[in-house]
Amino acid sequence: MRNEDKKIPYDKDLVFDVRGLKTYFPIYEGTFKKKKVNDVKAVDNVSFNVRRGETIGVVGESGCGKTTLGRSIMRLTEPTGGEVLYNLNGKMRDIRKFDEKEIFDFRKEVQMVFQDPYSALNPMRKIYDSFAEPLKAHGIETKEDLLMVMEDRLRRVNLRPEFIYRYPHEFSGGQRQRLCIARALAVSPDVVILDEPVSALDVSIQAQVINLLQAIQKELDLTYIFIAHDLSVVEYISDRIMVMYLGHIVEYADSEVLNKNPAHPYTKALLSAVPIPVVGRESKRIVLEGDVPSPIHKPSGCPFHNRCPQYLGDICKEKVPEFKDLGGGHKVACHIYD
Ligand code: SF4
């Protein structure tokens, strides 16, 4: 047993336990770009966990670090600091310490669906070839077995099995995203990270894809990490939601609690922009002043202080708010609750 395994209590329902994750991108200057002058702090000290079978939503404006967060916990982008513990073969291990074999097993168990279904599929290759590559890498070799798996996955996303002999340009945006979902399912993962899976699609198609994702999750007992900028979509599919701002998590709560009782001023502003589907009822829109600050030069104290409608003065400008537990797993980082 490795030392790190001894220290970490095992919880069979825990899939990910992320502790103080940081992902920074260094900025270099000088003639040979050798002098490091600063960092883009895309993900800054983020902690959360993911339990088996749940959907955890990550929401925030573009540029808040949510995609980098997804890529960091897949190790597609190398984290700078912190730990990303993953339950591999019954042991919580830091993915940054995985050897090659463990990374290979991890990538089979955790798959990712990307935002843009147009660039996710190679236009020069038939769907069969795009699907065959990961399957062969994971030991499914014979044409008979390959076809059996591919046809099963296409049926699960409501596409016809013969589509595997076509090229990506022969499909609509919604069909392509369903193909990407089918390909992610090909190697029978336990966890799927969905990065803005519906934002490139028409509104009418978005609902179909979301409903399909929910049905597949139930059938295959999957765990989802669902990343999106649209809070109404995230709320609809998620059990728990984390709200991100400028690389930090500012609030987490159960989906229903967040909807009925948002605590952070930023969450309140996001929620106020969600249309209420009741005739005659309108929500009072909270319009945030100013632009999102640069993740290179973050504001001191609370990262939201220069846009916050409930700004409390010096304390917000000078002191980073810590998380307060409001009960029932609802946590918020804001001085209002000190
Ligand atoms: Fe607003 Fe202050 Fe709360 Fe930050 S800590 S969200 S600035 S009230």
Side-chain angles (χ1 to χ4, degrees):
M1 185 183 273
R2 299 170 199 225
N3 283 342
E4 76 219 57
D5 299 331
K6 286 184 203 160
K7 288 186 240 155
I8 300 161
Y10 177 60
D11 174 348
K12 70 178 172 39
D13 290 329
L14 213 54
V15 182
F16 275 107
D17 189 2
V18 178
R19 301 172 178 188
L21 177 68
K22 292 178 183 169
T23 306
Y24 297 171
F25 300 101
I27 303 167
Y28 293 98
E29 269 181 9
T31 318
F32 299 104
K33 298 265 178 227
K34 283 200 168 160
K35 189 176 160 213
K36 187 180 152 195
V37 288
N38 218 328
D39 285 302
V40 176
K41 294 177 178 166
V43 176
D44 206 0
N45 204 14
V46 163
S47 301
F48 65 97
N49 59 41
V50 182
R51 305 191 80 79
R52 200 167 298 286
E54 76 171 340
T55 299
I56 186 149
V58 185
V59 71
E61 291 162 290
S62 338
C64 72
K66 53 194 189 309
T67 292
T68 308
L69 175 67
R71 292 181 62 86
S72 301
I73 63 172
M74 272 294 284
R75 242 185 95 181
L76 294 175
T77 299
E78 201 61 43
T80 314
E83 290 179 312
V84 180
L85 305 174
Y86 175 75
N87 189 341
L88 187 68
N89 305 323
K91 282 179 191 163
M92 293 306 284
R93 302 268 328 284
D94 189 352
I95 63 163
R96 298 175 69 200
K97 294 176 183 157
F98 280 175
D99 60 28
E100 247 176 62
K101 160 85 173 67
E102 287 166 331
I103 275 286
F104 183 78
D105 293 344
F106 170 69
R107 291 263 159 80
K108 181 178 180 295
E109 292 186 13
V110 184
Q111 286 283 308
M112 192 156 182
V113 174
F114 298 93
Q115 175 175 2
D116 183 5
Y118 292 90
S119 59
L121 294 166
N122 186 336
M124 311 295 284
R125 306 177 82 187
K126 287 185 179 169
I127 301 303
Y128 176 91
D129 298 311
S130 290
F131 274 55
E133 198 177 302
L135 286 170
K136 282 181 182 167
H138 288 284
I140 298 174
E141 296 279 351
T142 67
K143 185 152 188 183
E144 201 184 8
D145 288 346
L146 287 168
L147 284 175
M148 199 174 73
V149 174
M150 288 180 204
E151 289 174 7
D152 172 76
R153 301 306 187 267
L154 286 191
R155 275 198 202 95
R156 285 186 191 277
V157 297
N158 301 332
L159 291 176
R160 295 210 301 275
E162 60 270 25
F163 283 1
I164 53 172
Y165 299 109
R166 295 192 188 172
Y167 285 93
H169 73 263
E170 297 176 63
F171 298 97
S172 67
Q175 286 176 322
R176 281 190 209 199
Q177 195 54 300
R178 280 191 270 161
L179 286 167
C180 293
I181 294 166
R183 190 177 55 175
L185 298 176
V187 292
S188 305
D190 295 326
V191 183
V192 184
I193 301 175
L194 300 142
D195 182 12
E196 300 269 14
V198 295
S199 54
L201 307 178
D202 291 346
V203 175
S204 57
I205 308 294
Q206 287 187 2
Q208 284 176 20
V209 173
I210 294 285
N211 290 336
L212 179 72
L213 285 169
Q214 285 184 314
I216 292 170
Q217 181 178 34
K218 224 175 184 179
E219 266 170 46
L220 302 178
D221 200 14
L222 293 171
T223 303
Y224 285 159
I225 299 174
F226 190 96
I227 298 167
H229 65 275
D230 184 340
L231 185 54
S232 59
V233 174
V234 174
E235 261 184 349
Y236 181 74
I237 193 167
S238 305
D239 300 301
R240 287 192 295 150
I241 297 178
M242 309 192 292
V243 182
M244 267 190 100
Y245 184 79
L246 216 57
H248 300 265
I249 293 179
V250 295
E251 182 165 6
Y252 6 33
D254 284 356
S255 184
E256 215 184 313
V257 172
L258 197 90
N259 179 294
K260 291 195 177 137
N261 204 11
H264 198 280
Y266 178 61
T267 314
K268 289 178 190 172
L270 285 183
L271 261 174
S272 76
V274 175
I276 299 175
V278 178
V279 180
R281 261 188 70 194
E282 279 180 28
S283 65
K284 193 161 176 277
R285 179 92 193 255
I286 301 168
V287 180
L288 295 176
E289 305 280 328
D291 295 328
V292 183
S294 155
I296 305 168
H297 305 290
K298 290 191 189 182
S300 57
C302 170
F304 188 53
H305 84 246
N306 63 330
R307 301 173 78 200
C308 180
Q310 291 176 260
Y311 178 65
L312 299 174
D314 287 351
I315 188 168
C316 297
K317 209 193 260 181
E318 288 161 11
K319 198 172 162 209
V320 179
E322 287 177 11
F323 270 105
K324 315 289 170 331
D325 196 337
L326 304 183
H330 187 178
K331 292 185 182 178
V332 62
C334 173
H335 289 306
I336 291 172
Y337 305 90
D338 281 356

